[in-house]
């Protein structure tokens, strides 16, 4: 029997997440014959176990906070509890609907959808479930996956951030390990919904890639809202004294006492333990060596500024490259790549400078541009403008006592013209405020440009154009 010929495409995209789908759709709009290969749910991390369901849970936590705030505004509010089950069911149904929208969009734009795991046979050919596919251009956009340390009980009794979205109840007592934005966001959600929360971090503080004023403000806010933060902590073992259905975990860990000495401690009675200690590139199934694609020491695919790997015709973008691991970055890079490959825009590429990012903490925070530390290392002349205040939203609230949620706004300016090279904000609605100001920073705005913008009153963001 003669071998079956490979199916031929102009563009094969491995990974049906946000970046891969965006690139596929853009390529198809130029008339390219395109297929996307996916071995899981369509939409990738963001839609299924990332940004979208996380934002829903963050909103639930924010709703809980506002219910507590309402009394200060004259409302006689009582609640009859919170149904995690109901929220989870609605959230999951919403995600399923989004999965379908992705499929429908691809179908409408005549992009073939292939379900299964891709494996490279050579630089132009991949195999999926025994069927071969070939293309002049192949994009690797398979994203990353969360990992769990190899310590006793970690995998058996713990879960990654993915597992958070599978929880069918709100644990009364929860512990998390991690110092990045995912750990901070989940800790804030649990606390806002009423859980007893302990956060283990390996160093003195968290969010260490963000500006010092952001991390210090959120760190202090979390401590005041009751999150127990254990610094210099390293979990060594997890045991379950309960049952599989009703866990009672003992978390064994090392930390430092006030004298700086390492001591061993145990946290008892934990119902759920979540590992948010990092993610790794999801490249293992791809057989990249057959294509000649190279990885860096961290296991991420090496690409140039045009998203090209060392192999002609093989490209990569998104979390699998380990740079600016944000959904909108992957989407933008994917569209730029297709503009270049199929749209005749030979110099199209994503500018990776001044990418805004938001932390859905409680309160939210946002950042664009250089941190103060980065700016001082790059420029000879730096001036910092900073303010801290309590937003008017909390003027009538009674539930916070002396610990009302903080707001901190900061501009990092460089040179005699005081170009705004960094903008860092913490406080209610920072997630919404940042987008517009990010445009100004991207355009090269100076402090004088900010000053020349008439303030909107009374809003918190007016402080950014009235800083002295």
């Amino acid at each position: 029997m003669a071998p079956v010929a490979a199916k031929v495409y102009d563009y094969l995209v491995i990974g049906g997440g946000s970046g891969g789908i965006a690139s596929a759709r853009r390529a198809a709009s130029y008339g390219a014959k395109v297929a996307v290969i996916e071995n899981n749910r369509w939409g990738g991390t963001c839609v299924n176990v990332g940004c979208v369901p996380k934002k829903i849970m963050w909103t639930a936590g924010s709703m809980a906070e506002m219910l507590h705030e309402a009394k200060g505004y004259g409302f006689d509010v009582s609640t009859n509890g919170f149904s995690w089950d109901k929220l989870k069911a609605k959230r999951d149904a919403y995600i399923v609907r989004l999965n379908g929208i992705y499929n429908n969009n691809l179908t409408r734009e005549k992009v073939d959808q292939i379900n299964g795991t891709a494996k490279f046979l050579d630089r132009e050919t991949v195999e999926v479930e025994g069927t071969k596919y070939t293309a002049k251009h192949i994009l690797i956009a398979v994203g990353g996956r969360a990992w769990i340390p190899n310590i006793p009980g970690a995998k058996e009794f713990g879960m990654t951030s993915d597992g958070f979205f599978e929880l069918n109840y709100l644990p009364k007592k929860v512990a998390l390990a991690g110092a990045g934005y995912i750990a901070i966001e989940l800790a804030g959600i649990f606390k806002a919904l009423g859980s007893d929360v302990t956060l283990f971090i390996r160093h003195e503080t968290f969010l260490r890639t963000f500006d010092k004023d952001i991390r210090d403000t959120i760190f202090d806010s979390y401590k005041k809202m009751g999150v127990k933060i254990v610094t210099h902590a390293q979990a060594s073992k997890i045991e379950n004294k309960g049952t599989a259905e009703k866990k009672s975990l003992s978390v064994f860990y090392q930390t430092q006492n006030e004298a700086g000495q390492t001591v061993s401690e145990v946290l008892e009675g934990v119902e759920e333990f979540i590992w948010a200690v990092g993610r790794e590139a999801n490249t293992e199934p791809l057989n990249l060596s057959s294509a000649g694609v190279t990885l860096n020491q961290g296991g991420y695919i090496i690409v140039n500024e045009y998203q090209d790997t060392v192999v002609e015709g093989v490209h990569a973008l998104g979390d699998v490259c380990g740079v600016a691991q944000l959904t909108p970055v992957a989407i933008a890079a994917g569209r730029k790549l297709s503009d270049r490959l199929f749209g005749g825009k030979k110099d199209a590429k994503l500018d990776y400078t001044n990418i805004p990012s938001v932390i859905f903490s409680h309160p939210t925070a946002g950042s664009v541009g250089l941190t103060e530390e980065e700016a001082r290392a790059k420029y000879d002349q730096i001036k910092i403008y900073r303010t801290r205040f309590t937003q008017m939203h909390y003027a009538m609230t009674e539930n916070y006592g002396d610990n009302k949620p903080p707001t901190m706004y900061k501009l990092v300016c460089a040179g005699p013209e005081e170009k705004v090279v960094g903008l860092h904000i913490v406080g209610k609605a920072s997630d919404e405020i940042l987008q517009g100001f990010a445009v100004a920073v991207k355009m090269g705005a100076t402090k004088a440009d900010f000053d020349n913008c008439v303030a909107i009153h009374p809003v918190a963001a007016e402080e950014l154009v009235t800083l002295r």
Side-chain angles (χ1 to χ4, degrees), residues 154-205:
K155 294 179 181 178
E156 183 179 1
F157 304 121
M159 66 182 69
T160 67
S161 55
D162 292 2
F164 168 79
F165 299 107
E166 297 176 7
L167 280 174
N168 56 17
Y169 77 109
L170 174 64
K172 293 179 181 178
K173 187 172 184 178
V174 62
L176 306 95
Y181 72 91
I182 295 174
I184 277 47
E185 290 174 342
L186 297 185
I189 290 168
F190 276 124
K191 188 61 187 176
L193 292 175
S195 297
D196 179 309
V197 181
T198 299
L199 177 64
F200 295 100
I201 61 176
R202 288 192 302 162
H203 299 279
E204 186 67 29
T205 189

Side-chain angles (χ1 to χ4, degrees), residues 367-413:
S367 178
V368 61
L370 303 177
T371 65
E372 179 180 342
E373 297 95 321
E374 291 169 339
R376 291 193 183 281
K378 183 175 181 178
Y379 298 99
D380 293 330
Q381 184 178 344
I382 291 294
K383 186 168 184 179
I384 303 299
Y385 295 87
R386 182 192 300 106
T387 183
R388 293 184 175 89
F389 61 99
T390 300
Q391 292 191 28
M392 185 182 290
H393 174 88
Y394 303 107
M396 302 293 108
T397 60
E398 302 171 356
N399 56 301
Y400 296 109
D402 295 330
N403 295 321
K404 292 183 178 181
T407 297
M408 186 286 302
Y409 292 164
K410 177 179 183 178
L411 296 183
V412 181
C413 301

Side-chain angles (χ1 to χ4, degrees), residues 21-30 109 334-336 338-339:
I21 288 177
S23 189
R25 293 179 64 188
R26 180 61 60 88
S29 74
Y30 292 122
E109 296 176 23
R335 289 171 176 163
K336 291 286 188 181
S338 290
D339 287 341

